[in-house]
Amino acid sequence: MTLTTKLEPLNTSFSLGNALRFIEGPNGFVLAALTSEKASATVALHGGHVLSFVPKGQPPVIWMSDEAQYREGKAIRGGIPVCWPWFGPHPDDPEKQAHGFARNLEWTVFSARMINNESPQLHLTLRDDALTRSIWDHAFHLEMIITLTDELKVELQIKNTGDTAFTSGGALHTYLSISQISQISIHGLEGARYIDQLDPSGLKTQEGEIRFTAETDNIYLDTTATCRLVDPGMHREIYVDKLGSRSTVVWNPWINKAARMSDFGDNEYLEMVCIETANAASDTVVIAPGETHRLGTTIRVASL
Ligand code: TA6
């Protein structure tokens, strides 16, 4: 199937004029381009993966690696990877891909509509099939609802369509664009208990704001707090609100891990940080048959 034969029926069925249309992305990937009066965003059907969010008058808020690879079966480096049904390594089987399979699969366009005649909303879906069941033997229906105003709202609805309960972990693994890693601070997690993935000797407690002087890979537990990223270099604050999430992961790979990742530039650790809306470790949720869990994040900026 050529790209044109992919794009034409999508635009015929779902485009909303200039507010939402389907375009060609890197390596023939299909992207949805969303535009409101106050911002723009792009979403890859591969992985249901938000790639960009740019409020009017602002530099990009969501970060993408210049080395990102657009290949079937591989996650795109940057944006908002959809990590599901588990976060990090598989709890029992190290052979299974890290962060689950949802970010590596092609999602389907379910609908597109305007909210209040000004905000495009894209609705994507992913259902279980023989491949997913060979990895994780449960029936599910994922819905990804992305709404653009002057903010970016991303909501993952996780429905158990099977007849046995399952444990749902995962994250909206948001990469944020910053001026310089040593200049920023993250507020809102003061006093939260966390797993330092680089020193699993035991739970730690966040003392004050988060600043970065080395590789940082923390899973903050039992917190529903909004995170506020203060970036004096870009004269802005980025807020990460969340819904249905009791974990927040804060990650910067720093020098050595950046150098080990083939789809991550050696110096790109300087210009990004992840604030991830998650349910990980002890915060995973059990979803009963027929029930739905909603996991959402809203990204917004304010000028300093
Ligand atoms: O969210 C932090 C983390 O779990 C890190 O340990 C690092 O592995 C990152 O996710 C990226 O994982 P990925 O599989 O996308 O390379």
Side-chain angles (χ1 to χ4, degrees):
M1 181 185 279
T2 67
L3 188 66
T4 307
T5 54
K6 281 184 190 175
L7 290 179
E8 278 178 5
L10 284 171
N11 280 314
T12 302
S13 303
F14 300 111
S15 75
L16 301 169
N18 290 329
L20 191 152
R21 68 194 190 291
F22 293 89
I23 60 173
E24 178 178 359
N27 200 19
F29 277 32
V30 174
L31 309 184
L34 287 74
T35 307
S36 72
E37 288 294 313
K38 297 172 182 165
S40 63
T42 52
V43 184
L45 299 192
H46 177 81
H49 198 131
V50 173
L51 301 182
S52 70
F53 167 49
V54 187
K56 279 244 170 74
Q58 281 282 343
V61 174
I62 297 289
W63 179 84
M64 285 294 299
S65 172
D66 291 339
E67 309 298 326
Q69 295 167 20
Y70 295 79
R71 293 202 320 254
E72 281 187 35
K74 177 168 175 57
I76 301 167
R77 179 66 63 191
I80 306 180
V82 181
C83 301
W84 190 81
W86 60 84
F87 178 85
H90 184 277
D92 309 314
D93 181 352
E95 292 303 308
K96 291 185 177 173
Q97 64 253 82
H99 292 320
F101 47 71
R103 64 178 183 166
N104 300 331
L105 298 176
E106 294 308 299
W107 289 56
T108 302
V109 180
F110 176 75
S111 71
R113 65 191 179 116
M114 294 299 285
I115 307 292
N116 302 328
N117 203 28
E118 61 181 7
S119 305
Q121 181 179 76
L122 176 65
H123 188 160
L124 305 176
T125 66
L126 182 75
R127 291 178 182 273
D128 64 287
D129 60 15
L131 172 63
T132 66
R133 282 180 168 270
S134 69
I135 300 169
W136 188 71
D137 194 13
H138 292 284
F140 63 85
H141 179 196
L142 297 186
E143 300 190 71
M144 170 66 80
I145 301 165
I146 297 154
T147 310
L148 181 70
T149 54
D150 55 337
E151 305 174 349
L152 176 69
K153 184 177 175 191
V154 178
E155 180 170 320
L156 179 67
Q157 297 183 1
I158 305 157
K159 182 170 185 177
N160 182 344
T161 53
D163 50 17
T164 57
F166 59 63
T167 298
S168 175
L172 299 173
H173 192 297
T174 305
Y175 286 75
L176 298 169
S177 184
I178 59 173
S179 58
Q180 217 281 356
I181 191 66
S182 61
Q183 287 196 30
I184 64 154
S185 56
I186 296 175
H187 306 252
L189 294 169
E190 294 82 354
R193 306 276 279 160
Y194 67 93
I195 298 167
D196 176 349
Q197 298 217 82
L198 306 169
D199 169 18
S201 58
L203 285 183
K204 299 180 179 178
T205 301
Q206 181 59 39
E207 307 289 341
E209 66 198 33
I210 302 168
R211 286 189 173 275
F212 299 84
T213 57
E215 182 179 353
T216 303
D217 196 349
N218 298 341
I219 302 175
Y220 293 86
L221 299 171
D222 195 23
T223 171
T224 58
T226 289
C227 283
R228 176 168 60 94
L229 187 161
V230 178
D231 186 347
M234 282 199 183
H235 310 291
R236 72 181 180 192
E237 295 177 326
I238 300 176
Y239 291 81
V240 180
D241 299 321
K242 56 182 201 169
L243 162 78
S245 159
R246 299 200 66 79
S247 312
T248 296
V249 181
V250 174
W251 178 56
N252 182 279
W254 214 251
I255 300 166
N256 295 339
K257 185 150 188 178
R260 292 198 301 269
M261 293 187 285
S262 61
D263 60 349
F264 194 106
D266 290 357
N267 294 322
E268 290 186 325
Y269 74 95
L270 292 165
E271 63 187 41
M272 56 68 66
V273 70
C274 285
I275 299 180
E276 306 159 33
T277 299
N279 284 309
S282 52
D283 289 330
T284 54
V285 296
V286 175
I287 306 179
E291 297 300 310
T292 295
H293 181 78
R294 296 164 64 208
L295 175 67
T297 193
T298 299
I299 313 292
R300 54 193 169 91
V301 298
S303 297
L304 268 180

